[in-house]
């Protein structure tokens, strides 16, 4: 490299010296010196103003200025140029002073020769180059330092600050001057200072450079977090001090804290969620949008049989395998639906979860979409729980509500439901529905005599037998007590119902063996058919019930189809019949006694026993309400026996009490009279009570006697033989043949009250009554007029010489107690 010529300004007033110096410099090969020379200080200053002078060779003795003052002026004019002072040997002290004030060197004139001058210049140029390089370097470092975002703090050996950069000043909030001489450690927060110092000393003795994060307290009291890095400075010979970089990490620290707090919060949140999910009773399972499992809680693990680790990432259907409880078909995936429709969906009802090992559980609950912060669906959560128990309980409750406890058959409620359904269906399909109403014959008798336990077992056996007789599409139901109903939900013809009824009757032809007893139970069956016999469930049921009563009335062990003429009165009769049975058994009957009076004397000659029924609900029921029904059902036989026995017992007890009793009339019905055991029964009762037969008069109607006059005559003869009295009741209402009447051993004629009622006003009735009285007299029979209610009636009868009378006007029917008061002591 060729160095550029060195520009030299020679300031020398002595022309000889100037010439010599120029010659010396001209003779130097390298570097090449370009020399300009001036003789006056003023000229030198002018030249230096133009710049581009590398070296000034300066004589301090000039005509226009001298000594140290010259140097001062030149130095100011050319601060960057090298100044070599040329000095006389005599004035070396001044030259030295100039060097002391910044001159680069001096040369005594005697040495200004070809040897010393180039060497001195060479040396000075070398120094200048080094100094320029240093300055540039310094400038570079300063620029870097100024631009650095890191604070830089330079201290000397004693730790006192010798330099800080703007970033440091900014961090600590001081200007440059105020940072100088300070100690960075004093800026450290008191709480961090001890640590900072300890670390500083550790770094000083150890191999690792100092590094720390501490808080600085600024001049204004503000606290900043800084990160410190320090390195020792040496100059080779020994330590010079330290360079400390300071980074403001307040923002990062704050961010760290926020982050840490967020992390802690997140952790706590996650932990809480985890604990919650594992402690709730519900199973929780989540999936991603692809429908793969992303999470299961403990309950979900147990219920699905999948461990979380195994389940993660698997398709939901594999882990959460659900089927429809009824069809057994795979149930629709609720998670997919929840995600697709972005809403909470309930699981299909009757949903069954198949656990991994095949064990099933009824489950219930819902699936919901999971959203991210932007509200997009990122998956689904399914929450479910085992409802096997509650579903079983519900099923059991439903069963109980709809079934009979004893037999397990559907009960009345379920029957009504099914019947309505069947009718609805039949209506649409134009089919028929048959209902069979069954009642066990004489069940009550079995129940009462053998006990409820046997009765219950019998009902169970009956239930089984009934079920065995029908198709399983038919419903056998227990209606209550000993009543059962069979619903034939779809029949083609009415004959189908008859066939079933036949089958049932046949099935019950065999006895049941219950608890060591051989029990013959038969059925009375009423059948009604939709739509012919009723358009509603109620009507069909009601009519089957009515028909059943007819089957009962028809002698039991048979079936009857409903007919419209089977009205409810008939049903009521049957109800009364069953009530009468109870009345008989529970002693609800009693007798009233109505006096019979001798019309001439007014003396009581007898009394008629009249039955009364003391029903627990209805109160006193009169014979007109129940005697006809008792007669139709045959119950009149046992009832009549009771009446006779009671009358005998009562009279006997009055007699035993010392009363003078009168004969008591007892009404006898046709069924009693014709019963083969009638005579023996009467004899038995008389023997039993020990009553003399003459105290009893039996009242019979004309129609009874005329029904089979021959056999009637025989029975009457037998009774007469026993010593009893006989009367014809309600005389005049029947078609008596006088010839027969004469043959019957009758003691008394009772004129029916219908004639007596109008006897005072209706001449026809008066004539009839008169005739009967006359006839009785002829036949030597007592004549009693019934139903005397008024004095006019009484007067008429007296005038006609009627023997006796009976009626409200003479005496109402009285209770046994009241009647007993009328009797005189014997
Ligand atoms: P009945 O044998 O002709 O009895 C007379 C009925 O006339 C009684 O009615 C009696 O209370 C009623 N009576 C009496 N005086 C008068 C009156 O002045 N005016 C009116 N209007 N009625 C009067 P009751 O007790 O209601 O009996 C009605 C019928 O029931 C009896 O008619 C009889 O046929 C039958 N009956 C009563 N007790 C028995 C019984 O123990 N066995 C049977 N088989 N039938 C009985
Ligand atoms: Mg009577
Ligand atoms: Mg009568």
């Amino acid at each position: 490299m060729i160095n550029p010529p060195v520009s030299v300004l020679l300031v020398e007033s002595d022309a000889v010296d100037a010439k010599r110096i120029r010659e010396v410099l001209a003779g130097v090969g390298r570097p090449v010196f370009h020399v300009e020379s001036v003789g006056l200080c003023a000229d030198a200053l002018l030249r230096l103003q133009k710049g581009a002078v590398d070296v000034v060779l300066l004589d301090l003795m000039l005509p226009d200025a001298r000594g140290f003052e010259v140097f001062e002026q030149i130095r100011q004019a050319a601060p960057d140029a090298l100044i070599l002072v040329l000095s006389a040997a005599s004035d070396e002290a001044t030259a030295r002073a100039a060097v002391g004030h910044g001159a680069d060197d001096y040369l005594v004139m005697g040495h200004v020769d070809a040897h010393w001058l180039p060497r001195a210049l060479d040396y000075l140029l070398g120094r200048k180059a080094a100094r320029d390089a240093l300055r540039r370097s310094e400038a570079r470092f300063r620029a870097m330092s100024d631009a650095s975002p890191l604070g830089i703090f330079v201290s000397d050996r004693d730790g006192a600050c010798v330099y800080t950069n703007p970033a440091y000043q900014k961090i600590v909030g001081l200007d440059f001057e105020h940072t100088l001489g300070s100690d960075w450690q004093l800026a450290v927060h008191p709480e961090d200072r001890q640590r900072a110092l300890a670390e500083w000393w550790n770094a000083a003795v150890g191999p690792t450079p100092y590094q720390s994060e501490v808080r600085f307290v600024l001049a204004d009291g503000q606290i900043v977090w800084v990160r410190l890095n320090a390195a020792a400075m040496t100059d080779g010979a020994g330590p010079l001090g330290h360079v400390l970089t300071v980074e403001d990490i307040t923002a990062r620290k704050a961010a760290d804290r926020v982050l840490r707090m967020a992390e802690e919060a997140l952790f706590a949140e996650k932990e809480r969620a985890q604990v919650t999910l594992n402690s709730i009773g519900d199973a929780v399972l989540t999936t991603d949008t692809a429908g793969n499992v992303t999470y299961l809680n403990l309950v979900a693990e147990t219920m699905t049989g999948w461990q979380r680790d195994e389940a993660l990432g698997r398709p939901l259907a594999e882990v959460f395998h659900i089927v429809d409880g009824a069809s057994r078909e795979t149930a629709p995936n609720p998670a997919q639906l929840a995600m697709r429709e972005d809403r909470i969906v309930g699981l299909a009802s009757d949903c069954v979860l198949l656990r991994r090992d095949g064990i099933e559980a009824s489950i219930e609950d819902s699936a919901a979409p999971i959203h991210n912060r932007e509200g997009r669906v990122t998956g689904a959560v399914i929450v479910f729980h085992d409802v096997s128990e509650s579903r079983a309980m519900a099923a059991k409750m439903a069963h109980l509500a709809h079934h009979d406890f004893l037999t397990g058959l559907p009960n009345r409620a379920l029957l009504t439901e099914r019947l309505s359904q069947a009718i609805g269906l039949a209506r649409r399909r134009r089919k028929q529905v048959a209902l069979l109403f069954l009642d066990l014959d004489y069940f009550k008798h079995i129940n009462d005599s053998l006990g409820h336990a046997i009765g219950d077992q019998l009902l169970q056996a009956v239930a089984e037998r009934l079920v065995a007789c029908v198709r399983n599409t038919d419903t056998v139901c227990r209606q209550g007590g000993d009543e059962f109903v069979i619903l034939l939900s779809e029949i083609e013809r009415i004959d189908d119902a008859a066939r079933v009824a036949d089958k049932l009757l046949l099935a019950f032809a065999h006895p049941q063996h219950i608890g060591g007893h051989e029990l013959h139970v038969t059925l009375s069956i009423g059948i009604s058919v939709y739509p012919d016999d009723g358009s509603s469930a109620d009507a069909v049921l009601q009519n089957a019930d009515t028909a059943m009563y007819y089957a009962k009335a028809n002698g039991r062990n048979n079936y009857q189809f409903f007919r419209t003429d089977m009205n409810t009165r008939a049903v009521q009769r049957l109800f009364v019949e069953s009530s009468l049975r109870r009345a008989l058994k529970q002693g609800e009957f009693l007798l009233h006694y109505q006096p019979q009076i001798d019309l001439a004397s007014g003396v009581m000659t007898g009394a008629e026993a009249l039955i009364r029924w003391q029903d627990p609900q209805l109160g006193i029921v009169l014979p007109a309400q129940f005697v006809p029904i008792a007669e139709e059902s045959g119950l009149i036989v046992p009832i009549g026996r009771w009446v006779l026995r009671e009358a005998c017992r009562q009279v006997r007890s009055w007699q035993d009490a010392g009363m003078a009793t009168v004969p008591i009339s007892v009404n006898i019905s046709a069924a009693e009279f014709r019963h083969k055991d009638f005579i023996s029964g009467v004899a038995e009762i008389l023997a039993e009570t020990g009553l003399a037969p003459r105290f009893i008069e039996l009242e019979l109607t004309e129609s009874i006697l005329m029904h089979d006059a021959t056999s009637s005559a025989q029975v009457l003869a037998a009774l007469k033989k026993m010593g009893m009295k006989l009367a014809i009741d309600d005389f005049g209402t029947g078609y008596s043949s006088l010839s027969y009447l004469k043959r019957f051993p009758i003691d008394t004629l009772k004129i029916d009250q219908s004639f007596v009622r109008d006897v005072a006003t209706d001449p026809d009735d008066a004539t009839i009554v008169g005739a009967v009285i006359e006839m009785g007299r002829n036949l030597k029979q007592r004549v009693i007029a019934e139903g005397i209610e008024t004095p006019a009636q009484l007067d008429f009868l007296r005038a006609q010489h009627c023997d006796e009378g009976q009626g409200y006007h003479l005496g109402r029917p009285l209770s046994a107690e009241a009647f007993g008061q009328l009797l005189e002591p014997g």
Side-chain angles (χ1 to χ4, degrees):
M1 196 177 93
I2 298 162
N3 289 335
V6 178
S7 157
V8 177
L9 177 66
L10 173 62
V11 186
E12 176 58 76
S13 54
D14 186 315
V16 178
D17 284 348
K19 188 180 178 243
R20 189 160 44 89
I21 289 167
R22 291 173 69 111
E23 280 169 2
V24 168
L25 292 177
V28 178
R30 229 182 237 174
V32 176
F33 294 103
H34 174 77
V35 183
E36 290 168 79
S37 67
V38 291
L40 291 172
C41 180
D43 291 341
L45 293 175
L46 279 174
R47 170 62 190 88
L48 286 172
Q49 270 170 15
K50 293 179 193 155
V53 171
D54 298 317
V55 179
V56 179
L57 295 179
L58 179 63
D59 183 358
L60 293 178
M61 293 300 168
L62 297 176
D64 55 345
R66 317 179 58 86
F68 190 65
E69 186 192 332
V70 178
F71 167 73
E72 285 283 84
Q73 287 186 40
I74 296 299
R75 171 84 295 170
Q76 258 175 24
D80 292 333
L82 284 169
I83 301 178
L84 180 63
V85 174
L86 302 174
S87 140
S90 56
D91 199 17
E92 208 176 323
T94 307
R96 258 204 296 273
V99 169
H101 278 83
D104 293 289
D105 209 347
Y106 72 95
L107 205 61
V108 179
M109 255 339 189
H111 291 133
V112 181
D113 55 21
H115 176 70
W116 287 108
L117 184 59
R119 289 191 64 182
L121 282 174
D122 198 32
Y123 167 70
L124 282 180
L125 286 170
R127 262 180 61 186
K128 181 173 186 288
R131 197 177 67 205
D132 286 351
L134 187 65
R135 275 205 190 130
R136 279 197 301 276
S137 156
E138 248 191 5
R140 271 200 302 273
F141 275 112
R142 185 163 303 253
M144 276 164 60
S145 160
D146 284 352
S148 168
L150 287 179
I152 297 170
F153 175 100
V154 181
S155 62
D156 62 15
R157 257 197 300 265
D158 303 324
C161 177
V162 291
Y163 172 78
T164 60
N165 74 342
Y168 181 86
Q169 294 147 24
K170 199 176 153 208
I171 290 168
V172 298
L174 294 172
D175 57 25
F176 180 69
E177 276 72 29
H178 284 91
T179 62
L180 291 182
S182 71
D183 181 345
W184 65 268
Q185 288 165 351
L186 292 176
V188 176
H189 192 287
E191 286 174 19
D192 295 348
R193 201 173 290 154
Q194 210 168 347
R195 173 171 62 85
L197 282 175
E199 286 166 351
W200 181 264
W201 287 115
N202 279 345
V205 297
T208 43
Y210 176 74
Q211 222 172 48
S212 183
E213 286 182 5
V214 295
R215 284 169 293 174
F216 269 17
V217 183
L218 309 190
D220 62 1
Q222 200 193 327
I223 293 172
V224 293
W225 268 99
V226 293
R227 180 180 168 80
L228 302 173
N229 280 288
M233 289 190 301
T234 52
D235 62 353
L240 283 178
H242 286 91
V243 177
L244 183 77
T245 61
V246 182
E247 184 187 355
D248 186 342
I249 55 169
T250 308
R252 198 200 82 202
K253 276 280 182 190
D256 273 1
R257 230 182 67 227
V258 169
L259 201 66
R260 206 168 48 245
M261 271 162 54
E263 272 172 0
E264 272 166 20
L266 194 68
F267 179 80
E269 192 63 37
K270 220 175 137 185
E271 190 67 11
R272 188 165 51 229
Q274 190 70 39
V275 169
T276 307
L277 285 171
N278 279 337
S279 57
I280 56 171
D282 282 357
V284 179
L285 189 152
T286 63
T287 73
D288 56 18
T289 42
N292 294 322
V293 173
T294 50
Y295 172 82
L296 291 96
N297 73 349
L298 286 177
V299 180
E301 286 188 333
T302 314
M303 284 186 65
T304 59
W306 283 85
Q307 296 290 307
R308 192 187 307 176
D309 294 348
E310 300 170 290
L312 293 188
R314 284 187 192 264
L316 177 66
E318 199 178 326
V319 178
F320 184 66
H321 187 187
I322 48 174
V323 296
D324 181 271
S327 68
R328 309 301 298 175
E329 273 170 29
T330 299
N333 179 335
Q336 248 160 29
L337 191 63
M339 290 191 284
R340 194 169 56 236
E341 300 193 353
D342 196 6
R343 64 179 180 91
I344 296 175
V345 296
L347 293 194
S349 60
D350 195 15
C351 190
V352 171
L353 172 69
L354 299 184
R355 209 167 70 179
R356 204 176 178 184
D357 58 9
I359 290 185
E360 300 185 3
S362 294
I363 59 163
E364 193 173 86
D365 238 344
S366 59
I370 303 174
H371 300 107
N372 66 5
R373 244 194 291 191
E374 285 78 47
R376 242 180 354 166
V377 174
T378 57
V381 56
I382 304 174
V383 181
F384 54 99
H385 59 261
D386 192 335
V387 292
S388 305
E389 247 172 64
S390 60
R391 212 172 269 175
M393 181 60 80
K396 201 171 157 191
M397 300 292 284
H399 184 87
L400 282 180
H402 284 114
H403 291 81
D404 169 48
F405 185 74
L406 180 67
T407 59
L409 292 178
N411 63 10
R412 195 188 296 251
L414 185 54
L415 173 82
T416 313
E417 215 171 89
R418 292 209 182 149
L419 179 56
S420 302
Q421 279 170 8
I423 286 177
L425 208 65
R427 183 176 294 134
R428 288 195 292 281
R429 296 188 185 167
R430 301 185 181 287
K431 289 271 161 89
Q432 306 187 84
V433 174
L435 200 72
L436 280 62
F437 202 111
L438 289 67
D439 190 280
L440 301 188
D441 298 328
Y442 303 117
F443 172 76
K444 202 168 146 46
H445 176 70
I446 293 170
N447 208 35
D448 291 346
S449 52
L450 300 179
H452 293 293
I454 297 288
D456 285 354
Q457 286 179 50
L458 176 60
L459 289 172
Q460 288 168 336
V462 165
E464 276 175 35
R465 218 173 256 202
L466 294 177
V467 169
C469 287
V470 300
R471 295 174 305 185
N472 54 10
T473 49
D474 300 326
T475 300
V476 178
C477 127
R478 181 165 173 228
Q479 189 76 347
D482 59 350
E483 292 175 343
F484 293 84
V485 172
I486 297 178
L487 167 67
L488 308 177
S489 44
E490 231 178 59
I491 55 166
E492 296 294 335
R493 289 177 312 270
I494 291 185
D495 283 357
D496 294 345
R499 241 199 323 276
V500 172
D502 279 326
K503 196 173 167 190
L504 291 166
L505 294 177
L506 192 67
F508 281 77
H510 311 288
Q512 312 257 5
H513 296 274
I514 308 274
H517 302 276
E518 196 184 77
L519 303 175
H520 290 271
V521 227
T522 53
L523 301 173
S524 293
I525 305 172
I527 305 172
S528 93
V529 175
Y530 168 88
D532 294 355
D533 302 334
S535 55
S536 70
D538 278 351
V540 172
L541 189 64
Q542 174 63 54
N543 291 339
D545 191 10
T546 301
M548 186 277 288
Y549 276 110
Y550 270 83
K552 282 252 185 246
N554 204 47
R556 303 162 206 277
N557 194 19
N558 72 105
Y559 63 85
Q560 295 289 324
F561 275 97
F562 174 76
R563 296 186 314 270
T564 38
D565 62 352
M566 295 177 173
N567 51 31
T568 41
R569 227 191 82 232
V571 177
Q572 274 170 3
R573 285 179 157 227
L574 291 158
F575 170 75
V576 171
E577 180 193 323
S578 68
S579 304
L580 285 176
R581 279 181 214 287
R582 187 201 63 217
L584 192 59
K585 192 173 149 266
Q586 296 181 355
E588 291 169 10
F589 294 120
L590 46 96
L591 293 181
H592 280 183
Y593 299 90
Q594 188 176 32
Q596 296 169 341
I597 307 291
D598 180 282
L599 294 184
S601 65
V603 172
M604 182 166 70
T605 53
E608 182 176 5
L610 295 163
I611 190 166
R612 299 290 180 262
W613 174 15
Q614 175 75 53
D615 182 90
Q617 271 124 50
L618 305 173
I620 293 281
V621 184
L622 291 173
Q625 302 292 317
F626 64 91
V627 166
I629 297 171
E631 285 172 337
E632 270 177 41
S633 65
L635 274 172
I636 196 67
V637 175
I639 291 174
R641 281 175 75 89
W642 178 86
V643 171
L644 184 62
R645 182 181 287 112
E646 173 61 14
C648 293
R649 188 200 61 76
Q650 184 65 67
V651 176
R652 186 60 216 254
S653 95
W654 280 322
Q655 290 175 351
D656 290 349
M659 304 292 187
T661 55
V662 289
I664 300 293
S665 306
V666 172
N667 294 283
I668 302 296
S669 286
E672 293 176 75
F673 183 73
R674 278 196 281 278
H675 199 277
K676 60 179 171 37
D677 298 332
F678 178 59
I679 295 167
S680 60
V682 171
E684 205 178 290
I685 289 166
L686 288 171
E688 207 179 285
T689 54
L691 183 71
R694 63 190 159 85
F695 284 104
I696 295 295
E697 182 172 64
L698 302 181
E699 292 190 6
L700 300 147
T701 59
E702 290 169 273
S703 52
I704 294 175
L705 298 175
M706 292 305 148
H707 181 76
D708 181 353
T710 318
S711 69
S712 294
Q714 288 168 6
V715 176
L716 292 177
L719 293 169
K720 195 72 213 163
K721 211 173 149 203
M722 281 164 65
M724 316 206 59
K725 295 186 178 168
L726 299 170
I728 294 184
D729 202 357
D730 305 341
F731 189 77
T733 57
Y735 304 95
S736 298
S737 149
L738 278 179
S739 57
Y740 277 107
L741 209 55
K742 271 197 280 184
R743 285 203 266 141
F744 293 149
I746 298 298
D747 302 287
T748 309
L749 287 180
K750 297 188 76 175
I751 305 174
D752 190 70
Q753 41 183 285
S754 58
F755 303 109
V756 175
R757 188 175 305 130
D758 299 325
V759 86
T761 51
D762 188 329
D764 289 347
D765 285 346
T767 308
I768 293 169
V769 170
V772 173
I773 295 169
E774 185 61 30
M775 188 182 82
R777 195 178 298 128
N778 292 336
L779 293 173
K780 308 258 180 317
Q781 288 166 341
R782 246 170 100 224
V783 176
I784 300 182
E786 285 190 89
I788 303 172
E789 293 179 346
T790 65
Q793 292 164 347
L794 181 62
D795 291 345
F796 175 86
L797 293 164
R798 272 200 183 128
Q800 296 286 318
H801 304 290
C802 179
D803 302 317
E804 296 174 22
Q806 185 183 338
Y808 295 163
H809 183 63
L810 300 172
R812 289 193 165 257
L814 300 168
S815 68
E817 198 195 359
F819 183 78
Q821 313 276 321
L822 300 179
L823 299 178
E824 317 236 309

